[in-house]
């Protein structure tokens, strides 16, 4: 490693501190401020349950929460691969989740937005294997969407 690279690496923490960088899980970070302080909206679908479960795993569960998280969830399926008989052998599962984080004390919106992503699964096996692959793809998609929401919440400007 060259001397220039070492100087750059040594100076990086100072540069980040100068721009107001705060570690998410450090003292005063949003990770600590949101931990066990977010009441996630009660789900009404299986996909919503999986998303809520993942969010509560990442943020913690709270009875008397400082923040309320409301969500909308939409999923759709697209056929990707078609064999010579005309059967679809691979599906794309597309998901989009809208979220609104509200301060329960003031009732104001802290942050809101929409995240989206996709997963895929194969439908070439038996009916049972295809169903298992589909369920796994839904669960993977909800984990991805949940992680994207949590990342956005951690980056939000939270009230004191």
């Amino acid at each position: 490693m060259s001397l220039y690279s070492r100087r750059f690496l040594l100076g990086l923490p100072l540069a980040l501190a100068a721009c107001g960088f705060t570690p998410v899980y450090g003292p005063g970070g949003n990770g600590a401020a949101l931990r066990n302080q977010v009441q996630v909206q009660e789900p009404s679908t299986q996909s919503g349950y999986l998303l809520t479960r993942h969010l509560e795993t990442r943020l913690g569960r709270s009875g008397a929460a400082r923040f309320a998280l409301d969500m909308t969830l939409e999923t759709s399926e697209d056929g990707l691969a078609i064999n010579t008989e005309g059967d679809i052998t691979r599906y794309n599962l597309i998901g989009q989740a809208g979220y609104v984080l509200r301060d329960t004390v003031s009732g104001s919106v802290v942050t809101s937005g929409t995240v989206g992503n996709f997963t895929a699964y194969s439908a070439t096996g038996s009916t049972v294997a295809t169903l298992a692959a589909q369920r796994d793809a839904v669960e993977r998609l909800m984990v991805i969407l949940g992680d994207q929401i949590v990342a956005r919440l951690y980056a939000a400007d939270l009230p004191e």
Side-chain angles (χ1 to χ4, degrees):
M1 188 179 268
S2 71
L3 184 59
Y4 175 74
S5 298
R6 288 183 189 146
R7 285 184 190 158
F8 175 76
L9 290 175
L10 291 175
L12 189 60
L14 294 174
L16 289 174
C19 74
F21 174 76
T22 305
V24 170
Y25 296 109
N30 283 358
L34 290 174
R35 187 76 185 152
N36 295 323
Q37 292 299 316
V38 178
Q39 178 67 43
V40 182
Q41 174 186 350
E42 187 175 316
S44 59
T45 63
Q46 177 69 21
S47 298
Y49 166 76
L50 294 170
L51 180 58
T52 299
R53 182 180 72 180
H54 185 68
L55 288 169
E56 287 179 345
T57 300
R58 294 283 312 270
L59 298 171
R61 293 185 80 174
S62 177
R66 167 80 195 273
F67 302 102
L69 182 65
D70 298 325
M71 296 179 299
T72 59
L73 182 61
E74 295 177 19
T75 58
S76 62
E77 265 186 6
D78 286 337
L80 290 179
I82 301 174
N83 64 15
T84 56
E85 288 87 35
D87 298 326
I88 299 174
T89 59
R90 189 154 184 84
Y91 288 91
N92 215 8
L93 184 63
I94 303 163
Q96 192 169 17
Y99 64 92
V100 177
L101 184 70
R102 298 186 194 293
D103 186 344
T104 57
V105 175
S106 66
S108 63
V109 173
V110 176
T111 187
S112 64
T114 304
V115 296
N117 221 310
F118 71 95
T119 58
Y121 66 94
S122 176
T124 57
S126 66
T127 305
V128 173
T130 300
L131 224 79
Q134 181 185 32
R135 287 180 183 157
D136 181 62
V138 170
E139 190 164 349
R140 284 183 286 128
L141 180 61
M142 294 307 117
V143 168
I144 292 168
L145 294 175
D147 285 344
Q148 288 179 320
I149 291 171
V150 169
R152 298 259 183 106
L153 295 181
Y154 284 163
D157 189 22
L158 297 179
E160 297 289 324

